[in-house]
Structures are given as structure tokens and as C-alpha cells.
Amino acid sequence: MNRFITFEGVDGAGKSTHLAGFADALRQRGLDVLVTREPGGTPLGEQLREILLHHPMDINTEALLMFAARMEHIAQVIQPALDAGKWVVSDRFSDASFAYQGGGRGMDWDKLRQLEQWVHPELQPDLTLFFDVPVEVARQRLANNVSLDRFEQEHSDFFERVRAGYHRRLAESPQRYALIDASKSPEAVAQQCRDILEGLLARE
Ligand code: TYD
């Protein structure tokens, strides 16, 4: 049963655009789908998002707030929806903490594992679509944005480390991921998403 699906990738990979289409396609099959995002997804989580995206802070504080928002998100939104038989599609989840706080900021991987173990000892996404793209391509896509948040303002070397963090995480449990070549055109990426969706529903 594949019900909890997450979308991941560096800023500018294009995951948010394709997430909407993916969720719509699931709905067209008559499935009950809840779309959510991290950091955020609850009123408290959205307040934490605002702080996280715009206020400088210690890296440990950053990781703790990401997981605090996630705790609330799981308790209030994700778990109740899964228990009610809904599909949950989340724009980012714990992989982003490993990639950004672990890879990008250099926070100790084992500390992040401890937080993950505390906040969601049992829960993991059934499937994660990882939008992989060379950092220069992702940077170019962000170039048109008028206002960039605290993460988006980081330099290329930060995003190289984020990307490496995602790959490290992927190597730890490859069966959970679908790797998407997000350097392709929007149409080609959408096709990759449709293929994954077909594969998923064929296994239901
Ligand atoms: P993002 O989904 O990229 O927001 P938007 O598309 O609206 O810009 O997520 C916001 C940022 O939060 C993104 O730069 C990655 C960062 N982030 C972390 O650093 N750690 C985390 O655990 C999560 C969930 C997000």
C-alpha cells in the first residue's frame, strides 16, 4: 500500500510544480488525497516556517525547529489522514533535514537520526520522488525569483552539499526512492512522474 508520498530536491529542482499534477492525477483515479508541505502543514508549523525561512539562527536550533514543526505536522495532519485511509503527498519531509541541515549545514548525521527516531520512530514515506538536478541548473531556475528566502540565498557550494546529502540518504534506503532526472524539460519530467504513478497504482 503506497499512501504516504514525499517530494524532495534542491531549491529550483521543480518538484512543487510536478507535485500538484501528481496529486491531481491521483484524485482523477478517485483517490482521497491530502497535499501538504514542510516546514509547515499546520498553523503552528506555518509560523515556524516563517521564522525558519527568514530569521538567522544556530544550526542546531534550525534542526530542532524543523523537527518540532514535523512533530506537529505528523500528530495533527499526516497520521490522522493516513489512519482515515487518505493518500498524503508532502512537499518535503525528513530527507530535507538530512540534506539541508546535515549536508548543507554540516550538522552531525547521527544527531539527525536521533531526532528522526524520536519524532517518527515508525513512520517513513512509502515512496519519495527525488528530483535530481545539477546545482547550476537549479540556480538558473531560481534566478527569476524576486525574493529569495534564507536557504535560497545560499551559494552553490551549499547546494552541492545539500545534493550530496540527498544522495547519501538515498544510498541508505534506495528502495524507498524514485529518482527523477529533473534537468529535463517540464514535459519530460511530467512524463517521468506519470510513469512512476502508473507503476505505483499497478502495484495497489
Ligand atoms: P521549499 O519547499 O523549497 O519552499 P518554496 O518552494 O516555497 O521555496 O522549502 C523551504 C526551504 O526549507 C527549502 O529551502 C529547504 C528548507 N528545509 C530545510 O532546510 N530542512 C527541512 O527539514 C525542510 C522540510 C525544509
Side-chain angles (χ1 to χ4, degrees), residues 7-13 15 92 96 100 129-132 162 166:
F7 279 54
E8 298 281 357
V10 299
D11 291 273
K15 65 182 169 45
R92 301 193 186 281
Y100 281 79
L129 278 72
F130 172 48
F131 288 68
D132 197 28
V162 170
Y166 272 124

Side-chain angles (χ1 to χ4, degrees), residues 61-196:
T61 310
E62 188 177 287
L64 287 164
L65 288 182
M66 290 290 181
F67 273 98
R70 182 162 302 129
M71 180 88 252
E72 200 64 14
H73 192 203
I74 294 167
Q76 303 294 336
V77 175
I78 298 175
Q79 198 59 58
L82 293 172
D83 290 346
K86 292 184 185 164
W87 287 59
V88 175
V89 182
S90 185
D91 195 340
R92 301 193 186 281
F93 191 61
S94 289
D95 290 331
S97 297
F98 283 87
Y100 281 79
Q101 281 66 54
R105 303 266 193 245
M107 188 179 164
D108 183 54
W109 203 258
D110 282 333
K111 267 194 195 147
L112 291 163
R113 278 221 186 88
Q114 285 167 19
L115 288 173
E116 180 185 41
Q117 193 57 31
W118 182 23
V119 170
H120 54 100
E122 310 289 341
L123 182 71
Q124 279 295 345
D126 297 297
L127 174 70
T128 297
L129 278 72
F130 172 48
F131 288 68
D132 197 28
V133 68
V135 167
E136 318 81 73
V137 177
R139 303 267 78 200
Q140 275 161 20
R141 289 183 186 163
L142 282 182
N144 297 330
N145 287 18
V146 264
S147 67
L148 297 179
D149 65 42
R150 215 160 58 79
F151 295 98
E152 290 165 340
Q153 285 168 20
E154 289 286 347
H155 295 293
S156 292
D157 53 347
F158 174 84
F159 287 101
E160 293 290 358
R161 295 195 301 275
V162 170
R163 188 181 182 201
Y166 272 124
H167 278 280
R168 176 173 176 186
R169 184 81 170 150
L170 196 143
E172 288 176 352
S173 44
Q175 71 291 348
R176 176 158 67 81
Y177 296 87
L179 186 65
I180 292 175
D181 180 355
S183 65
K184 298 266 168 61
S185 68
E187 296 72 32
V189 174
Q191 185 59 50
Q192 293 180 68
C193 292
R194 277 194 293 276
D195 292 345
I196 290 162

